[in-house]
């Protein structure tokens, strides 16, 4: 057995929840991008080999959908982040957006070729308890309106949830968030 075979053998459902997320990587290709793609495909190969997995659920990222030079008014399953744009501009978190986009594209291809029932969930931001000794990048990003971290706040301003907040505000002038955020996010 190799990779994830032993862990997945006999499972009927698999949830892929973790991805390397090192925004400070000195070698993004080998420390973030390749491990993300290889990890995704390794899990999928183990699912195919097990022959018991009915569905694979992948926690994707809004970063796979909306990282483009020009924002769109709406995003759907046909939208992908522009990998070349991310690599050329090297915005904060670019290697994460590239790795997640390429991994998910490879996963969809593998799923179709191997008959795996594959779905993705695309949260705009994930926060919560963490197991690593330093604060995770997603939490640093989530707290950026409070901490004033402009580089991380620029990520929030790129995300589709800013369109949701803007739409809610337009439809209901009394709509309010539970905390005060900079007016530029609304």
């Amino acid at each position: 057995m190799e990779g994830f075979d032993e862990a997945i053998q006999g499972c009927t459902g698999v949830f892929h929840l973790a991805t390397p997320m090192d925004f400070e990587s000195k070698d993004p290709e080998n420390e973030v991008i390749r491990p993300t793609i290889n990890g995704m495909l390794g899990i999928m190969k183990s699912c195919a080999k097990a022959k018991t997995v009915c569905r694979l659920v992948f926690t994707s990222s809004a970063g796979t959908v909306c990282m483009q030079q020009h924002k769109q008014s709406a995003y759907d399953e046909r939208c992908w982040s522009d990998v070349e744009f991310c690599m050329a501009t090297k915005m904060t978190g670019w290697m994460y957006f590239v790795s997640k986009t390429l991994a998910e594209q490879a996963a969809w291809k593998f799923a179709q070729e191997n008959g795996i029932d594959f779905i993705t969930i695309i949260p705009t931001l994930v926060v919560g308890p963490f197991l690593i000794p330093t604060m995770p990048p997603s939490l640093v990003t989530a707290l950026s309106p409070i901490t004033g971290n402009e580089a991380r706040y620029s990520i929030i301003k790129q995300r589709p949830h800013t369109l949701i907040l803007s739409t809610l505000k337009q439809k209901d002038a009394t709509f309010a968030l539970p905390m005060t955020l900079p007016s530029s996010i609304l």
Side-chain angles (χ1 to χ4, degrees):
M1 290 196 168
E2 59 181 272
F4 301 97
D5 290 357
E6 188 176 346
I8 292 174
Q9 188 61 45
C11 293
T12 56
V14 173
F15 294 85
H16 180 309
L17 305 172
T19 294
M21 196 172 178
D22 182 2
F23 286 8
E24 310 303 322
S25 173
K26 301 294 184 224
D27 185 7
E29 181 68 32
N30 292 308
E31 294 175 354
V32 180
I33 298 169
R34 283 188 186 158
T36 300
I37 297 166
N38 293 339
M40 180 78 247
L41 292 175
I43 288 170
M44 296 189 83
K45 288 173 185 172
S46 293
C47 288
K49 190 185 289 186
K51 301 194 184 316
T52 57
V53 177
C54 298
R55 174 170 280 173
L56 171 58
V57 179
F58 177 55
T59 303
S60 187
S61 166
T64 65
V65 178
C66 66
M67 296 304 173
Q68 301 146 351
Q69 187 170 4
H70 305 287
K71 290 183 185 180
Q72 296 177 207
S73 60
Y75 296 89
D76 63 25
E77 64 278 2
R78 297 167 296 181
C79 299
W80 290 103
S81 286
D82 183 341
V83 171
E84 285 77 28
F85 170 72
C86 292
M87 293 176 86
T89 59
K90 302 224 183 312
M91 79 275 273
T92 301
W94 72 269
M95 69 286 294
Y96 176 74
F97 308 135
V98 168
S99 70
K100 289 292 275 192
T101 301
L102 294 177
E104 186 175 340
Q105 289 172 338
W108 280 110
K109 183 176 188 250
F110 187 94
Q112 290 169 347
E113 291 172 353
N114 293 277
I116 294 176
D117 183 4
F118 177 72
I119 62 169
T120 61
I121 298 169
I122 303 183
T124 55
L125 194 61
V126 178
V127 296
F130 50 96
L131 303 173
I132 59 176
T134 58
M135 194 176 304
S138 60
L139 193 53
V140 173
T141 301
L143 292 173
S144 66
I146 297 166
T147 63
N149 183 327
E150 283 298 319
R152 293 301 174 88
Y153 183 62
S154 69
I155 295 171
I156 290 177
K157 291 192 292 188
Q158 293 269 341
R159 300 290 176 97
H161 69 269
T162 60
L163 294 172
I164 294 167
L165 292 173
S166 177
T167 302
L168 288 171
K169 202 68 161 156
Q170 289 171 1
K171 292 192 180 282
D172 180 2
T174 63
F175 173 78
L177 292 170
M179 59 184 236
T180 304
L181 293 174
S183 60
S184 60
I185 195 171
L186 302 174

